[in-house]
Amino acid sequence: MAGRILGRTLATVSLSVALASVTVKSSGPCGIPECRSSFSSCGFHLNSNIMSGSNGAKENSHKKARTSPYPGSKVQRSQVPNEKVGWLVEWQDYNPVEYTAVSVLAGPRWADPQISESNFSPKFNEKDGHVERKSQNGRYEIKNGRPRNPAGRTGLVGRGLLGRWGPNHAADPIITRWKRDKSGNKITHPISGKNILQFVAIKRKDCGEWAIPGGMVDPGEKISATLKREFGEEALNSLQKSSAEKKQLEEQLHKLFSQEHLVIYKGYVDDPRNTDNAWMETEAVNYHDETGEIMDNLTLEAGDDAGKVKWVDISDKLKLYASHAQFIKLVAEKRDAHWSEDSETDCDGL
């Protein structure tokens, strides 16, 4: 990612499908967050209202995409009250601010041209050459030649820091292991009685918050390749390794990412960089090192956009970037690991 800069619905399926954890076999081998890995998912809401943009939004849905100032700028969005988020809610006086970052308008390879350019005819809602313009949540509406955010109004049109009109696809690798004592025995939480799970977290350089490693999917790239590449670059500093070290690292990563894994979430992300015409979507995938032997042979080393990296115990006490704690909560549930000392506690507000 270093040196490769990224200016980087109505739901047609039920939420139970969108959030279902699917066990599958791997198929193979806040400064201005412009770098590729900075475009890991920035949060979402675990309720059916996140994609209710056409019918209205409740207080906690589609919230981050309405915050001001816009990341990396002094641009203030037009205020959008909760009751007017949905596109089906008539609002004749809606006057969103137009903003696309200079870094995007400069025309880097990761960014689309402006809609107005005569030689640009994007094929929305389908595969457009190597660029995936399909949404993971189904078809989105095109209005006046521009794609419309499926979750509703954001108070800002254009692309902001996002390179693509419409969906901008990211991938988030969640690497976990069981916490063990010096004898190798799993450690259980004294109150919940469940085993404690750990995940690899990075401290972002742009805002100093702890987060899941992750980044953008390159055109034509498989999700599995993105997940492995992003983890290697941010958590193992693969970009700075020698040829021999990279070869050895690749062998270990292949073992890790060839295991059975859980697709934790696929779909729209309530991200502060979203606009009316461009938005983040992600696929969060959990790779679990059951015995710990694979990760024992890998030394964590922060690289690229990560300032620090470490193993973090999973619990509801986590304070992570945006809503990353919600991804982690889903992993804990699917792995039947410790999450909370109070069985009634949920992740709202994390």
Side-chain angles (χ1 to χ4, degrees), residues 64-348:
K64 298 179 187 302
R66 291 181 282 155
T67 57
S68 290
Y70 187 86
S73 77
K74 296 181 180 179
V75 176
Q76 298 290 323
R77 298 175 186 266
S78 299
Q79 292 188 355
V80 180
N82 294 325
E83 65 272 15
K84 291 189 176 180
V85 168
W87 293 113
L88 293 184
V89 178
E90 186 175 353
W91 189 4
Q92 294 183 352
D93 295 330
Y94 179 52
N95 186 29
V97 175
E98 174 97 27
Y99 175 66
T100 299
V102 173
S103 58
V104 178
L105 293 175
R109 65 175 183 81
W110 43 260
D112 290 332
Q114 286 290 78
I115 287 289
S116 58
E117 293 191 17
S118 59
N119 62 344
F120 181 53
S121 301
K123 299 177 180 178
F124 293 121
N125 284 304
E126 59 183 281
K127 191 69 174 289
D128 186 9
H130 291 299
V131 178
E132 181 58 81
R133 299 192 189 278
K134 291 181 181 179
S135 169
Q136 293 167 321
N137 290 94
R139 294 187 65 83
Y140 48 89
E141 186 180 1
I142 308 301
K143 187 73 172 181
N144 297 324
R146 295 186 177 192
R148 178 178 271 186
N149 189 317
R153 299 181 175 97
T154 68
L156 190 146
V157 295
R159 283 174 289 163
L161 285 166
L162 298 179
R164 304 294 178 190
W165 294 97
N168 288 254
H169 296 284
D172 296 312
I174 305 172
I175 309 302
T176 57
R177 71 179 183 186
W178 296 112
K179 186 175 185 179
R180 298 177 185 272
D181 59 25
K182 293 182 179 179
S183 300
N185 300 311
K186 295 179 183 178
I187 298 176
T188 60
H189 191 275
I191 296 179
S192 70
K194 292 188 175 184
N195 294 329
I196 298 176
L197 198 62
Q198 298 180 312
F199 82 104
V200 176
I202 62 165
K203 188 173 185 179
R204 295 168 59 108
K205 287 181 179 178
D206 59 0
C207 60
E209 294 184 83
W210 288 92
I212 299 167
M216 298 303 293
V217 180
D218 284 340
E221 185 177 43
K222 292 183 177 180
I223 293 291
S224 57
T226 306
L227 292 163
K228 183 167 64 173
R229 171 172 53 76
E230 293 292 344
F231 184 73
E233 292 176 357
E234 293 192 338
L236 302 172
N237 198 22
S238 62
L239 293 174
Q240 302 302 318
K241 302 297 184 184
S242 66
S243 297
E245 290 173 327
K246 286 181 179 179
K247 182 178 180 181
Q248 184 177 15
L249 184 60
E250 176 61 29
E251 292 176 354
Q252 295 299 319
L253 286 175
H254 179 69
K255 291 181 181 179
L256 178 64
F257 285 87
S258 293
Q259 299 184 107
E260 289 186 350
H261 55 272
L262 296 175
V263 177
I264 298 300
Y265 177 80
K266 292 176 66 174
Y268 180 87
V269 177
D270 183 18
D271 190 296
R273 290 160 292 193
N274 290 352
T275 74
D276 284 8
N277 309 124
W279 60 90
M280 287 296 303
E281 297 189 7
T282 196
E283 182 166 335
V285 183
N286 173 220
Y287 292 86
H288 179 64
D289 187 5
E290 178 65 28
T291 64
E293 294 179 359
I294 298 175
M295 291 305 299
D296 284 347
N297 291 318
L298 290 172
T299 301
L300 296 181
E301 181 181 350
D304 198 50
D305 299 317
K308 295 181 180 180
V309 60
K310 67 178 182 179
W311 286 102
V312 174
D313 291 358
I314 289 178
S315 78
D316 64 349
K317 303 298 190 295
L318 288 174
K319 300 298 179 183
L320 301 178
Y321 176 68
S323 298
H324 283 195
Q326 294 175 317
F327 287 102
I328 300 302
K329 180 175 186 284
L330 285 175
V331 174
E333 291 176 345
K334 299 307 176 183
R335 297 292 179 187
D336 194 26
H338 169 72
W339 172 253
S340 172
E341 297 179 9
D342 181 358
S343 60
E344 299 300 318
T345 299
D346 61 28
C347 63
D348 288 345

